mmCIF file of all heavy atoms in Angstrom:
data_model
loop_
_atom_site.group_PDB
_atom_site.id
_atom_site.type_symbol
_atom_site.label_atom_id
_atom_site.label_comp_id
_atom_site.label_asym_id
_atom_site.label_seq_id
_atom_site.Cartn_x
_atom_site.Cartn_y
_atom_site.Cartn_z
ATOM 1 N N ILE A 164 277.991 -58.813 91.039
ATOM 2 C CA ILE A 164 277.467 -58.672 89.633
ATOM 3 C C ILE A 164 276.079 -59.235 89.632
ATOM 4 O O ILE A 164 275.843 -60.363 89.967
ATOM 5 C CB ILE A 164 278.453 -59.375 88.695
ATOM 6 C CG1 ILE A 164 279.862 -58.827 88.738
ATOM 7 C CG2 ILE A 164 277.879 -59.377 87.302
ATOM 8 C CD1 ILE A 164 280.875 -59.667 88.052
ATOM 9 N N ALA A 165 275.132 -58.394 89.173
ATOM 10 C CA ALA A 165 273.758 -58.811 89.120
ATOM 11 C C ALA A 165 273.242 -59.061 87.672
ATOM 12 O O ALA A 165 272.046 -59.390 87.502
ATOM 13 C CB ALA A 165 272.910 -57.758 89.845
ATOM 14 N N GLY A 166 274.132 -58.879 86.701
ATOM 15 C CA GLY A 166 273.757 -59.056 85.325
ATOM 16 C C GLY A 166 274.983 -58.927 84.413
ATOM 17 O O GLY A 166 275.898 -58.193 84.710
ATOM 18 N N MET A 167 274.934 -59.708 83.333
ATOM 19 C CA MET A 167 276.126 -59.650 82.428
ATOM 20 C C MET A 167 275.560 -60.064 80.998
ATOM 21 O O MET A 167 274.537 -60.647 80.904
ATOM 22 C CB MET A 167 277.195 -60.665 82.819
ATOM 23 C CG MET A 167 276.757 -62.126 82.790
ATOM 24 S SD MET A 167 278.079 -63.250 83.333
ATOM 25 C CE MET A 167 277.408 -64.815 82.812
ATOM 26 N N GLU A 168 276.295 -59.620 80.003
ATOM 27 C CA GLU A 168 275.910 -60.024 78.615
ATOM 28 C C GLU A 168 277.083 -59.946 77.656
ATOM 29 O O GLU A 168 278.060 -59.212 77.869
ATOM 30 C CB GLU A 168 274.751 -59.139 78.073
ATOM 31 C CG GLU A 168 275.106 -57.683 77.830
ATOM 32 C CD GLU A 168 273.898 -56.892 77.322
ATOM 33 O OE1 GLU A 168 272.754 -57.230 77.714
ATOM 34 O OE2 GLU A 168 274.129 -55.916 76.629
ATOM 35 N N ASN A 169 277.028 -60.798 76.614
ATOM 36 C CA ASN A 169 277.924 -60.795 75.505
ATOM 37 C C ASN A 169 277.085 -60.680 74.287
ATOM 38 O O ASN A 169 276.557 -61.703 73.794
ATOM 39 C CB ASN A 169 278.803 -62.021 75.549
ATOM 40 C CG ASN A 169 279.819 -62.107 74.441
ATOM 41 O OD1 ASN A 169 279.637 -61.570 73.373
ATOM 42 N ND2 ASN A 169 280.960 -62.707 74.700
ATOM 43 N N THR A 170 276.907 -59.516 73.717
ATOM 44 C CA THR A 170 275.995 -59.294 72.630
ATOM 45 C C THR A 170 276.503 -59.980 71.358
ATOM 46 O O THR A 170 275.651 -60.354 70.513
ATOM 47 C CB THR A 170 275.820 -57.752 72.368
ATOM 48 O OG1 THR A 170 277.061 -57.136 72.163
ATOM 49 C CG2 THR A 170 275.110 -57.141 73.588
ATOM 50 N N ASP A 171 277.838 -60.098 71.176
ATOM 51 C CA ASP A 171 278.331 -60.750 69.959
ATOM 52 C C ASP A 171 277.897 -62.215 69.901
ATOM 53 O O ASP A 171 277.537 -62.731 68.830
ATOM 54 C CB ASP A 171 279.862 -60.698 69.923
ATOM 55 C CG ASP A 171 280.391 -59.284 69.730
ATOM 56 O OD1 ASP A 171 279.607 -58.470 69.171
ATOM 57 O OD2 ASP A 171 281.546 -59.014 70.087
ATOM 58 N N ARG A 172 277.884 -62.855 71.081
ATOM 59 C CA ARG A 172 277.469 -64.262 71.167
ATOM 60 C C ARG A 172 275.978 -64.451 71.499
ATOM 61 O O ARG A 172 275.485 -65.578 71.645
ATOM 62 C CB ARG A 172 278.353 -65.028 72.139
ATOM 63 C CG ARG A 172 279.815 -65.023 71.756
ATOM 64 C CD ARG A 172 280.635 -65.792 72.743
ATOM 65 N NE ARG A 172 280.316 -67.232 72.745
ATOM 66 C CZ ARG A 172 280.876 -68.162 73.500
ATOM 67 N NH1 ARG A 172 281.842 -67.737 74.410
ATOM 68 N NH2 ARG A 172 280.506 -69.422 73.449
ATOM 69 N N LYS A 173 275.274 -63.351 71.711
ATOM 70 C CA LYS A 173 273.859 -63.343 72.106
ATOM 71 C C LYS A 173 273.595 -64.141 73.369
ATOM 72 O O LYS A 173 272.641 -64.843 73.544
ATOM 73 C CB LYS A 173 272.977 -63.959 70.941
ATOM 74 C CG LYS A 173 273.098 -63.245 69.633
ATOM 75 C CD LYS A 173 272.268 -63.894 68.528
ATOM 76 C CE LYS A 173 272.431 -63.165 67.272
ATOM 77 N NZ LYS A 173 271.620 -63.836 66.192
ATOM 78 N N LEU A 174 274.468 -63.849 74.405
ATOM 79 C CA LEU A 174 274.375 -64.458 75.698
ATOM 80 C C LEU A 174 274.108 -63.401 76.735
ATOM 81 O O LEU A 174 274.851 -62.411 76.816
ATOM 82 C CB LEU A 174 275.670 -65.281 76.075
ATOM 83 C CG LEU A 174 276.113 -66.352 75.003
ATOM 84 C CD1 LEU A 174 277.417 -66.957 75.432
ATOM 85 C CD2 LEU A 174 275.028 -67.427 74.839
ATOM 86 N N TYR A 175 273.096 -63.669 77.594
ATOM 87 C CA TYR A 175 272.619 -62.700 78.549
ATOM 88 C C TYR A 175 272.407 -63.438 79.843
ATOM 89 O O TYR A 175 272.017 -64.568 79.888
ATOM 90 C CB TYR A 175 271.312 -61.963 78.035
ATOM 91 C CG TYR A 175 271.470 -61.434 76.668
ATOM 92 C CD1 TYR A 175 271.324 -62.248 75.548
ATOM 93 C CD2 TYR A 175 271.806 -60.088 76.501
ATOM 94 C CE1 TYR A 175 271.525 -61.697 74.254
ATOM 95 C CE2 TYR A 175 271.960 -59.546 75.206
ATOM 96 C CZ TYR A 175 271.828 -60.357 74.105
ATOM 97 O OH TYR A 175 271.978 -59.865 72.843
ATOM 98 N N ALA A 176 272.439 -62.662 81.000
ATOM 99 C CA ALA A 176 272.293 -63.382 82.243
ATOM 100 C C ALA A 176 271.941 -62.358 83.347
ATOM 101 O O ALA A 176 272.412 -61.202 83.332
ATOM 102 C CB ALA A 176 273.519 -64.164 82.689
ATOM 103 N N LEU A 177 271.067 -62.758 84.305
ATOM 104 C CA LEU A 177 270.591 -61.936 85.397
ATOM 105 C C LEU A 177 270.747 -62.797 86.685
ATOM 106 O O LEU A 177 270.323 -63.933 86.735
ATOM 107 C CB LEU A 177 269.182 -61.503 85.224
ATOM 108 C CG LEU A 177 268.905 -60.626 83.993
ATOM 109 C CD1 LEU A 177 267.397 -60.498 83.784
ATOM 110 C CD2 LEU A 177 269.621 -59.290 84.127
ATOM 111 N N GLN A 178 271.196 -62.171 87.743
ATOM 112 C CA GLN A 178 271.309 -62.839 88.993
ATOM 113 C C GLN A 178 269.918 -62.805 89.712
ATOM 114 O O GLN A 178 269.578 -63.696 90.459
ATOM 115 C CB GLN A 178 272.294 -62.227 89.906
ATOM 116 C CG GLN A 178 272.522 -62.957 91.239
ATOM 117 C CD GLN A 178 272.915 -64.385 91.101
ATOM 118 O OE1 GLN A 178 273.965 -64.737 90.600
ATOM 119 N NE2 GLN A 178 271.972 -65.306 91.421
ATOM 120 N N PHE A 179 269.149 -61.797 89.439
ATOM 121 C CA PHE A 179 267.799 -61.682 90.002
ATOM 122 C C PHE A 179 266.767 -62.424 89.152
ATOM 123 O O PHE A 179 267.022 -62.847 88.057
ATOM 124 C CB PHE A 179 267.364 -60.235 90.291
ATOM 125 C CG PHE A 179 267.442 -59.389 89.031
ATOM 126 C CD1 PHE A 179 266.342 -59.236 88.274
ATOM 127 C CD2 PHE A 179 268.572 -58.674 88.707
ATOM 128 C CE1 PHE A 179 266.375 -58.444 87.099
ATOM 129 C CE2 PHE A 179 268.620 -57.796 87.603
ATOM 130 C CZ PHE A 179 267.529 -57.715 86.839
ATOM 131 N N HIS A 180 265.530 -62.506 89.742
ATOM 132 C CA HIS A 180 264.460 -63.302 89.034
ATOM 133 C C HIS A 180 263.424 -62.349 88.380
ATOM 134 O O HIS A 180 262.525 -61.798 89.022
ATOM 135 C CB HIS A 180 263.745 -64.211 90.049
ATOM 136 C CG HIS A 180 264.565 -65.288 90.488
ATOM 137 N ND1 HIS A 180 264.481 -66.567 89.981
ATOM 138 C CD2 HIS A 180 265.520 -65.407 91.469
ATOM 139 C CE1 HIS A 180 265.344 -67.376 90.563
ATOM 140 N NE2 HIS A 180 265.953 -66.710 91.480
ATOM 141 N N PRO A 181 263.518 -62.139 87.041
ATOM 142 C CA PRO A 181 262.567 -61.288 86.410
ATOM 143 C C PRO A 181 261.163 -61.915 86.265
ATOM 144 O O PRO A 181 260.181 -61.284 86.042
ATOM 145 C CB PRO A 181 263.170 -61.069 84.991
ATOM 146 C CG PRO A 181 263.946 -62.295 84.749
ATOM 147 C CD PRO A 181 264.501 -62.655 86.119
ATOM 148 N N GLU A 182 261.089 -63.246 86.480
ATOM 149 C CA GLU A 182 259.752 -63.971 86.368
ATOM 150 C C GLU A 182 258.807 -63.730 87.510
ATOM 151 O O GLU A 182 257.610 -63.978 87.293
ATOM 152 C CB GLU A 182 260.026 -65.437 86.096
ATOM 153 C CG GLU A 182 260.535 -66.247 87.274
ATOM 154 C CD GLU A 182 262.043 -66.209 87.447
ATOM 155 O OE1 GLU A 182 262.716 -65.276 87.027
ATOM 156 O OE2 GLU A 182 262.569 -67.165 88.038
ATOM 157 N N VAL A 183 259.292 -63.310 88.687
ATOM 158 C CA VAL A 183 258.409 -63.163 89.825
ATOM 159 C C VAL A 183 257.831 -61.768 89.856
ATOM 160 O O VAL A 183 258.510 -60.821 89.408
ATOM 161 C CB VAL A 183 259.127 -63.533 91.159
ATOM 162 C CG1 VAL A 183 259.682 -64.928 91.125
ATOM 163 C CG2 VAL A 183 260.198 -62.506 91.471
ATOM 164 N N THR A 184 256.667 -61.597 90.368
ATOM 165 C CA THR A 184 255.981 -60.331 90.403
ATOM 166 C C THR A 184 256.647 -59.305 91.243
ATOM 167 O O THR A 184 256.503 -58.077 91.084
ATOM 168 C CB THR A 184 254.478 -60.475 90.886
ATOM 169 O OG1 THR A 184 254.479 -61.072 92.164
ATOM 170 C CG2 THR A 184 253.710 -61.297 89.844
ATOM 171 N N HIS A 185 257.522 -59.762 92.202
ATOM 172 C CA HIS A 185 258.233 -58.840 93.038
ATOM 173 C C HIS A 185 259.327 -58.072 92.332
ATOM 174 O O HIS A 185 259.789 -56.997 92.823
ATOM 175 C CB HIS A 185 258.897 -59.625 94.205
ATOM 176 C CG HIS A 185 257.936 -60.417 95.043
ATOM 177 N ND1 HIS A 185 257.334 -61.589 94.573
ATOM 178 C CD2 HIS A 185 257.351 -60.173 96.288
ATOM 179 C CE1 HIS A 185 256.546 -62.044 95.521
ATOM 180 N NE2 HIS A 185 256.519 -61.222 96.518
ATOM 181 N N THR A 186 259.745 -58.565 91.157
ATOM 182 C CA THR A 186 260.653 -57.751 90.316
ATOM 183 C C THR A 186 259.771 -56.827 89.499
ATOM 184 O O THR A 186 259.081 -57.234 88.540
ATOM 185 C CB THR A 186 261.541 -58.632 89.421
ATOM 186 O OG1 THR A 186 262.326 -59.432 90.284
ATOM 187 C CG2 THR A 186 262.390 -57.803 88.519
ATOM 188 N N ALA A 187 259.806 -55.551 89.789
ATOM 189 C CA ALA A 187 258.824 -54.600 89.266
ATOM 190 C C ALA A 187 258.808 -54.527 87.708
ATOM 191 O O ALA A 187 257.792 -54.440 87.039
ATOM 192 C CB ALA A 187 259.046 -53.189 89.861
ATOM 193 N N LYS A 188 260.007 -54.543 87.069
ATOM 194 C CA LYS A 188 260.134 -54.429 85.686
ATOM 195 C C LYS A 188 260.417 -55.801 85.055
ATOM 196 O O LYS A 188 260.923 -55.874 83.851
ATOM 197 C CB LYS A 188 261.224 -53.471 85.269
ATOM 198 C CG LYS A 188 260.939 -52.019 85.618
ATOM 199 C CD LYS A 188 259.889 -51.402 84.725
ATOM 200 C CE LYS A 188 259.796 -49.852 84.804
ATOM 201 N NZ LYS A 188 259.374 -49.370 86.122
ATOM 202 N N GLY A 189 260.117 -56.859 85.761
ATOM 203 C CA GLY A 189 260.437 -58.216 85.285
ATOM 204 C C GLY A 189 259.836 -58.559 83.959
ATOM 205 O O GLY A 189 260.525 -59.086 83.045
ATOM 206 N N SER A 190 258.552 -58.238 83.759
ATOM 207 C CA SER A 190 257.902 -58.577 82.493
ATOM 208 C C SER A 190 258.474 -57.827 81.346
ATOM 209 O O SER A 190 258.615 -58.314 80.211
ATOM 210 C CB SER A 190 256.405 -58.336 82.636
ATOM 211 O OG SER A 190 255.796 -59.273 83.523
ATOM 212 N N GLU A 191 258.856 -56.510 81.612
ATOM 213 C CA GLU A 191 259.511 -55.742 80.555
ATOM 214 C C GLU A 191 260.806 -56.289 80.171
ATOM 215 O O GLU A 191 261.183 -56.238 78.937
ATOM 216 C CB GLU A 191 259.550 -54.286 81.069
ATOM 217 C CG GLU A 191 258.184 -53.614 81.212
ATOM 218 C CD GLU A 191 258.324 -52.167 81.718
ATOM 219 O OE1 GLU A 191 259.042 -51.409 81.083
ATOM 220 O OE2 GLU A 191 257.715 -51.813 82.733
ATOM 221 N N ILE A 192 261.613 -56.737 81.165
ATOM 222 C CA ILE A 192 262.903 -57.382 80.832
ATOM 223 C C ILE A 192 262.713 -58.610 79.950
ATOM 224 O O ILE A 192 263.406 -58.763 78.959
ATOM 225 C CB ILE A 192 263.683 -57.693 82.122
ATOM 226 C CG1 ILE A 192 263.965 -56.401 82.905
ATOM 227 C CG2 ILE A 192 264.896 -58.455 81.851
ATOM 228 C CD1 ILE A 192 264.556 -56.612 84.296
ATOM 229 N N LEU A 193 261.765 -59.399 80.338
ATOM 230 C CA LEU A 193 261.521 -60.681 79.589
ATOM 231 C C LEU A 193 261.014 -60.324 78.183
ATOM 232 O O LEU A 193 261.381 -60.993 77.154
ATOM 233 C CB LEU A 193 260.550 -61.626 80.263
ATOM 234 C CG LEU A 193 261.114 -62.260 81.584
ATOM 235 C CD1 LEU A 193 260.035 -62.996 82.282
ATOM 236 C CD2 LEU A 193 262.238 -63.136 81.278
ATOM 237 N N LYS A 194 260.172 -59.294 78.068
ATOM 238 C CA LYS A 194 259.682 -58.828 76.789
ATOM 239 C C LYS A 194 260.806 -58.356 75.861
ATOM 240 O O LYS A 194 260.837 -58.643 74.701
ATOM 241 C CB LYS A 194 258.682 -57.756 76.975
ATOM 242 C CG LYS A 194 257.872 -57.396 75.773
ATOM 243 C CD LYS A 194 256.714 -56.420 76.141
ATOM 244 C CE LYS A 194 255.839 -56.152 74.866
ATOM 245 N NZ LYS A 194 254.728 -55.212 75.220
ATOM 246 N N ARG A 195 261.718 -57.650 76.464
ATOM 247 C CA ARG A 195 262.872 -57.137 75.674
ATOM 248 C C ARG A 195 263.686 -58.369 75.157
ATOM 249 O O ARG A 195 264.154 -58.370 74.018
ATOM 250 C CB ARG A 195 263.795 -56.246 76.541
ATOM 251 C CG ARG A 195 263.179 -54.889 76.798
ATOM 252 C CD ARG A 195 264.194 -54.021 77.644
ATOM 253 N NE ARG A 195 265.449 -53.771 76.926
ATOM 254 C CZ ARG A 195 265.606 -52.776 76.028
ATOM 255 N NH1 ARG A 195 264.604 -51.871 75.830
ATOM 256 N NH2 ARG A 195 266.729 -52.597 75.399
ATOM 257 N N PHE A 196 263.781 -59.379 76.010
ATOM 258 C CA PHE A 196 264.561 -60.582 75.534
ATOM 259 C C PHE A 196 263.839 -61.335 74.398
ATOM 260 O O PHE A 196 264.445 -61.524 73.330
ATOM 261 C CB PHE A 196 264.786 -61.517 76.703
ATOM 262 C CG PHE A 196 265.473 -62.786 76.306
ATOM 263 C CD1 PHE A 196 266.893 -62.774 76.007
ATOM 264 C CD2 PHE A 196 264.894 -64.037 76.267
ATOM 265 C CE1 PHE A 196 267.570 -63.884 75.583
ATOM 266 C CE2 PHE A 196 265.590 -65.162 75.895
ATOM 267 C CZ PHE A 196 266.872 -65.089 75.546
ATOM 268 N N VAL A 197 262.535 -61.631 74.616
ATOM 269 C CA VAL A 197 261.882 -62.456 73.593
ATOM 270 C C VAL A 197 261.504 -61.716 72.338
ATOM 271 O O VAL A 197 261.493 -62.283 71.243
ATOM 272 C CB VAL A 197 260.638 -63.148 74.181
ATOM 273 C CG1 VAL A 197 261.085 -64.076 75.357
ATOM 274 C CG2 VAL A 197 259.633 -62.171 74.608
ATOM 275 N N ILE A 198 261.290 -60.384 72.442
ATOM 276 C CA ILE A 198 260.928 -59.665 71.207
ATOM 277 C C ILE A 198 262.092 -58.912 70.621
ATOM 278 O O ILE A 198 262.414 -59.116 69.439
ATOM 279 C CB ILE A 198 259.815 -58.635 71.568
ATOM 280 C CG1 ILE A 198 258.553 -59.378 72.048
ATOM 281 C CG2 ILE A 198 259.443 -57.741 70.397
ATOM 282 C CD1 ILE A 198 257.375 -58.531 72.490
ATOM 283 N N ASN A 199 262.793 -58.067 71.425
ATOM 284 C CA ASN A 199 263.888 -57.252 70.874
ATOM 285 C C ASN A 199 265.091 -58.141 70.487
ATOM 286 O O ASN A 199 265.740 -57.853 69.463
ATOM 287 C CB ASN A 199 264.295 -56.210 71.830
ATOM 288 C CG ASN A 199 263.153 -55.165 72.167
ATOM 289 O OD1 ASN A 199 262.066 -55.373 71.728
ATOM 290 N ND2 ASN A 199 263.525 -54.178 72.870
ATOM 291 N N ILE A 200 265.396 -59.099 71.310
ATOM 292 C CA ILE A 200 266.651 -59.860 71.108
ATOM 293 C C ILE A 200 266.409 -61.116 70.305
ATOM 294 O O ILE A 200 267.090 -61.442 69.345
ATOM 295 C CB ILE A 200 267.300 -60.185 72.485
ATOM 296 C CG1 ILE A 200 267.783 -58.893 73.127
ATOM 297 C CG2 ILE A 200 268.477 -61.165 72.290
ATOM 298 C CD1 ILE A 200 268.288 -59.040 74.549
ATOM 299 N N CYS A 201 265.363 -61.905 70.728
ATOM 300 C CA CYS A 201 265.031 -63.180 70.008
ATOM 301 C C CYS A 201 264.235 -62.957 68.762
ATOM 302 O O CYS A 201 264.197 -63.832 67.874
ATOM 303 C CB CYS A 201 264.326 -64.133 70.914
ATOM 304 S SG CYS A 201 265.244 -64.629 72.392
ATOM 305 N N GLY A 202 263.568 -61.811 68.599
ATOM 306 C CA GLY A 202 262.804 -61.536 67.412
ATOM 307 C C GLY A 202 261.537 -62.321 67.286
ATOM 308 O O GLY A 202 261.006 -62.592 66.153
ATOM 309 N N CYS A 203 260.858 -62.652 68.381
ATOM 310 C CA CYS A 203 259.667 -63.465 68.346
ATOM 311 C C CYS A 203 258.465 -62.599 67.947
ATOM 312 O O CYS A 203 258.406 -61.419 68.318
ATOM 313 C CB CYS A 203 259.346 -64.037 69.733
ATOM 314 S SG CYS A 203 260.554 -65.374 70.211
ATOM 315 N N ASN A 204 257.513 -63.190 67.293
ATOM 316 C CA ASN A 204 256.233 -62.531 66.970
ATOM 317 C C ASN A 204 255.225 -62.917 68.022
ATOM 318 O O ASN A 204 255.322 -64.009 68.650
ATOM 319 C CB ASN A 204 255.782 -62.927 65.644
ATOM 320 C CG ASN A 204 256.663 -62.423 64.513
ATOM 321 O OD1 ASN A 204 256.960 -61.269 64.436
ATOM 322 N ND2 ASN A 204 257.134 -63.361 63.641
ATOM 323 N N LEU A 205 254.254 -62.110 68.222
ATOM 324 C CA LEU A 205 253.194 -62.386 69.305
ATOM 325 C C LEU A 205 252.122 -63.194 68.737
ATOM 326 O O LEU A 205 251.042 -62.721 68.349
ATOM 327 C CB LEU A 205 252.701 -61.074 69.861
ATOM 328 C CG LEU A 205 253.825 -60.050 70.398
ATOM 329 C CD1 LEU A 205 253.132 -58.841 70.988
ATOM 330 C CD2 LEU A 205 254.689 -60.756 71.410
#
Side-chain angles (χ1 to χ4, degrees):
I164 299 168
M167 65 182 192
E168 69 181 29
N169 182 327
T170 56
D171 291 337
R172 298 182 66 180
K173 300 181 182 178
L174 303 178
Y175 307 82
L177 298 169
Q178 185 57 68
F179 56 88
H180 289 264
E182 70 272 27
V183 303
T184 55
H185 302 77
T186 296
K188 291 289 192 298
S190 292
E191 293 179 51
I192 294 170
L193 291 174
K194 191 172 184 179
R195 288 182 64 86
F196 178 71
V197 300
I198 296 177
N199 297 7
I200 294 172
C201 297
C203 293
N204 295 306
L205 307 183

